[in-house]
Amino acid sequence: MGIMDQFLQQLINGISLGSIYALIALGYTMVYGIIKLINFAHGDIYMVGAYIGFFCITIMNWPVLPALLVSMLLTGILGMLIERFAYRPLRSAPRISVLITAIGVSFFLEYTMMYFVTPQPRTFPSLLDDAAYHIGPFIINNQQIMIFAITIILMAILTYIVQYTKVGKAMRAVSFDTETAQLMGINSNRIISVTFGIGSALAAAAGVLVGIYYNSIDPLMGIMPGLKAFVAAVLGGIGILPGAAAGGIILGIIEALVSGFISSTFRDAAAFAILILVLLFKPSGLLGKNTNEKV
Amino acid sequence: MAIMLKLDDINVFYGAIHAIKGISLEVDQGEIVTLIGANGAGKSTTLRTVSGLLKPKTGTISFEDKTISGQPAHKIVEYGISQVPEGRRIFANMTVMENLELGAYIRTDKNGIKSDLERVFKHFPRLAERKKQEAGTLSGGEQQMLAMGRALMSSPRLLLLDEPSMGLAPLLIKEIFEIIKDINKAGTTILLVEQNANMALSIANRAYVLETGKITLSGDAKELSASEDVRKAYLGG
Ligand SMILES: Nc1ncnc2c1ncn2[C@@H]1O[C@H](COP(=O)(O)OP(=O)(O)OP(=O)(O)O)[C@@H](O)[C@H]1O
Ligand SMILES: [Mg+2]
């Protein structure tokens, strides 16, 4: 393979991986935008989503799409429950208490899952045949096509909700100024709950897609992608939706290029080097304004 | 006339700070009542307690004979009370139209919303020209108009205004106060908080003077503006 072909191939791989990061990062950034919480349990929510999808496919024998939708629904509800019982009671508590609680929720999800599903990795059934297509200079396989398609559809739906629906406008209002949003008659608690629901559902979709892409899931699978998605959210500008999407894709591409051209051992280091560089040179992120625009 | 809003011996605290010390006041239906006082007297605190952003420690607030104190802010809007907060607090990253839509958040009557939107554009033609503009790029006066228009979109029976004159040029203040009078004439009762006591007393029916959390004077607006004490303390002689 020529170096150009290899570059293009890593680009495809990077966009696939980056789509997953982007879906997780969107939830991170939405939750941060609305209650200024770095929800460290978000990566574990993604893991739970992957397991729900796994059981739908293996035990219930469902095809991918219903499994994906049911996983998104149930994981969305889980996210809302976590918000209701772990975070809402701390609404007026110091930020650090909520952060520590988020870490607690993260461990709780990881070890509860280990108890019920064992720490052993599970093999995700391969649902699509491994056919690959040559499109111009690119080689793209079924799994990748599915990841692109689902990511684009979900992002389009999210954009529609946030920009044009009543609940989406309420989400933006609560993010911008919770108190004034309440003066409009917006029940901010309900909107925060919906935000957790949507963010968690997107993470669940990422979890199921990763299962299909890498064929393996385990109860600690959320830790690394959770951190990476956090980096992606910061890279794009935390609290900014298009920033999270762009940050995820960029991070995925950088990781793929680093593993392809340097060594895959430097992959993770590259991600965190980016975090440090962003924090040093543009803490508000690529799309961040100084005026701190949110959601 | 029927009493619309009644505060009965309200006490409000910020932690240990006793900001409102036993305030009682009334607003009758159809009136413009103003609450004047120096910086830090507790004017905003009083309004924020009526709109539910703050809870009184003791005392009750009733609106149209229903007790509303203790209800969350988003519920109080549904009773028919709308607040224009101090400093406008428009949603700067949204368009003028989106701000107005959020004002009508609690409503589902499409036709009513449409006619109220027309009413807002009649009061504030400048907003109509700027529907699609991002609200943060409006001038200070336009932002005040937007904050008022947004509050009117819930079709309130009682409008709470917190310092609508703040930071505006004298000519614009006159314009805004004319509009407040128009809004009142069209049937909305108004409780107006102002530091600009001259202007406030000139359009109000009645007034209350607030000093460090207590009401020290109250009465007919014309009589108050003629009173020696008020002139000295608030009207610059
Ligand atoms: N969030 C807060 N925490 C603690 N104290 C507060 C808070 N908000 C207001 N106060 C105090 O309560 C008192 C009343 O404040 P308030 O904002 O109601 O005054 P105001 O009459 O509206 O003044 P201004 O004309 O400057 O707007 C002041 O002493 C103020 O310092
Ligand atoms: Mg004030």
Side-chain angles (χ1 to χ4, degrees):
Chain A
M1 242 191 336
I3 197 135
M4 196 58 202
D5 291 335
Q6 202 190 338
F7 175 78
L8 291 174
Q9 205 43 54
Q10 292 302 348
L11 207 59
I12 295 281
N13 296 343
I15 297 173
S16 311
L17 180 64
S19 301
I20 309 270
Y21 290 156
L23 287 175
I24 309 174
L26 283 168
Y28 250 119
T29 227
M30 287 168 80
V31 164
Y32 182 85
I34 208 149
I35 58 169
K36 302 290 164 291
L37 165 69
I38 307 287
N39 182 15
F40 276 115
H42 195 60
D44 304 293
I45 289 172
Y46 145 93
M47 172 272 296
V48 173
Y51 271 94
I52 294 175
F54 173 79
F55 288 122
C56 287
I57 289 165
T58 53
I59 297 178
M60 313 296 285
N61 260 319
W62 290 351
V64 179
L65 214 54
L68 182 85
L69 292 176
V70 166
S71 169
M72 287 177 70
L73 179 72
L74 294 180
T75 311
I77 293 171
L78 173 70
M80 290 164 103
L81 289 173
I82 291 171
E83 187 278 323
R84 176 66 189 81
F85 293 106
Y87 301 145
R88 191 180 301 179
L90 299 173
R91 196 78 89 223
S92 50
R95 202 86 72 81
I96 187 77
S97 313
V98 195
L99 205 63
I100 291 168
T101 304
I103 294 169
V105 170
S106 168
F107 284 133
F108 174 79
L109 291 175
E110 287 165 14
Y111 291 94
T112 308
M113 284 304 277
M114 279 195 198
Y115 180 78
F116 285 110
V117 303
T118 79
Q120 304 312 319
R122 307 272 180 141
T123 308
F124 224 86
S126 44
L127 297 157
L128 308 169
D129 56 38
D130 279 331
Y133 310 92
H134 292 258
I135 304 172
F138 299 101
I139 304 169
I140 184 165
N141 64 30
N142 272 333
Q143 282 87 347
Q144 288 170 328
I145 291 173
M146 179 163 163
I147 289 177
F148 296 158
I150 289 177
T151 303
I152 288 169
I153 291 168
L154 290 177
M155 284 182 183
I157 294 173
L158 179 68
T159 305
Y160 175 78
I161 291 175
V162 170
Q163 287 301 322
Y164 301 109
T165 67
K166 198 165 176 175
V167 71
K169 286 172 192 164
M171 283 165 69
R172 284 187 282 149
V174 173
S175 294
F176 188 79
D177 183 343
T178 308
E179 204 173 66
T180 306
Q182 289 167 347
L183 291 179
M184 305 296 111
I186 296 170
N187 181 345
S188 58
N189 275 331
R190 187 182 302 156
I191 296 301
I192 290 167
S193 183
V194 169
T195 305
F196 267 85
I198 294 175
S200 302
L202 292 173
V208 176
L209 292 177
V210 150
I212 294 168
Y213 194 43
Y214 291 119
N215 290 328
S216 169
I217 62 173
D218 70 89
L220 298 181
M221 67 184 271
I223 298 174
M224 219 17 148
L227 289 172
K228 300 279 184 63
F230 172 65
V231 174
V234 173
L235 174 62
I238 190 125
I240 304 167
L241 288 183
I249 306 277
I250 292 171
L251 188 66
I253 291 173
I254 291 173
E255 281 197 9
L257 293 179
V258 167
S259 7
F261 289 98
I262 304 171
S263 156
S264 56
T265 38
F266 290 124
R267 210 176 88 156
D268 297 342
F272 296 109
I274 289 172
L275 178 64
I276 292 167
L277 290 176
V278 171
L279 291 178
L280 278 178
F281 295 108
K282 189 136 194 326
S284 59
L286 294 178
L287 302 186
K289 292 180 196 159
N290 294 332
T291 46
N292 203 19
E293 191 187 341
K294 300 154 221 154
V295 165
Chain B
M1 254 198 226
I3 296 175
M4 184 177 237
L5 178 76
K6 189 172 160 68
L7 276 63
D8 188 11
D9 200 13
I10 295 291
N11 283 280
V12 184
F13 289 76
Y14 292 105
I17 301 168
H18 195 175
I20 299 296
K21 301 165 184 154
I23 284 185
S24 298
L25 64 79
E26 287 171 12
V27 179
D28 291 344
Q29 185 163 356
E31 275 190 310
I32 299 181
V33 172
T34 183
L35 192 58
I36 53 179
N39 283 118
K43 305 180 297 293
S44 297
T45 305
T46 306
L47 281 200
R48 291 159 59 79
T49 308
V50 173
S51 64
L53 291 174
L54 297 170
K55 304 263 168 292
K57 192 157 196 177
T58 61
T60 52
I61 302 174
S62 51
F63 178 70
E64 296 177 338
D65 295 326
K66 290 177 288 259
T67 303
I68 58 165
S69 40
Q71 297 271 12
H74 67 89
K75 281 267 182 265
I76 285 180
V77 188
E78 290 175 16
Y79 283 91
I81 301 177
S82 193
Q83 184 181 7
V84 181
E86 183 175 279
R88 299 151 191 138
R89 305 276 286 265
I90 51 151
F91 299 108
N93 60 347
M94 295 193 217
T95 64
V96 166
M97 197 61 194
E98 284 175 328
N99 270 270
L100 295 173
E101 284 165 2
L102 281 165
Y105 184 82
I106 56 169
R107 300 174 67 179
T108 48
D109 56 323
K110 279 219 166 72
N111 292 330
I113 296 175
K114 224 179 128 208
S115 70
D116 273 324
L117 191 62
E118 278 159 19
R119 184 165 84 106
V120 166
F121 287 150
K122 224 174 81 209
H123 285 306
F124 307 106
R126 278 197 252 176
L127 295 182
E129 296 157 19
R130 292 169 169 76
K131 277 186 234 179
K132 298 238 169 73
Q133 192 172 327
E134 195 167 299
T137 63
L138 295 174
S139 74
E142 289 160 0
Q143 292 192 8
Q144 183 61 50
M145 293 174 187
L146 179 57
M148 287 170 64
R150 183 181 65 179
L152 287 175
M153 287 304 294
S154 68
S155 197
R157 291 187 294 288
L158 174 65
L159 184 63
L160 310 173
L161 291 165
D162 197 341
E163 298 204 32
S165 73
M166 191 201 255
L168 301 184
L171 217 60
L172 206 52
I173 296 179
K174 269 187 96 173
E175 190 183 333
I176 294 273
F177 272 70
E178 281 306 314
I179 296 168
I180 294 173
K181 273 203 294 199
D182 289 344
I183 291 169
N184 176 251
K185 276 200 199 105
T188 310
T189 307
I190 288 172
L191 177 54
L192 168 67
V193 156
E194 260 303 337
Q195 281 198 39
N196 190 333
N198 259 324
M199 284 302 290
L201 289 171
S202 76
I203 65 162
N205 304 104
R206 290 189 305 115
Y208 292 88
V209 178
L210 200 56
E211 265 175 57
T212 56
K214 286 197 185 114
I215 288 172
T216 51
L217 271 174
S218 66
D220 184 83
K222 285 204 183 60
E223 283 167 25
L224 277 182
S225 50
S227 116
E228 201 57 28
D229 290 349
V230 175
R231 297 199 69 81
K232 275 216 186 85
Y234 302 104
L235 305 177

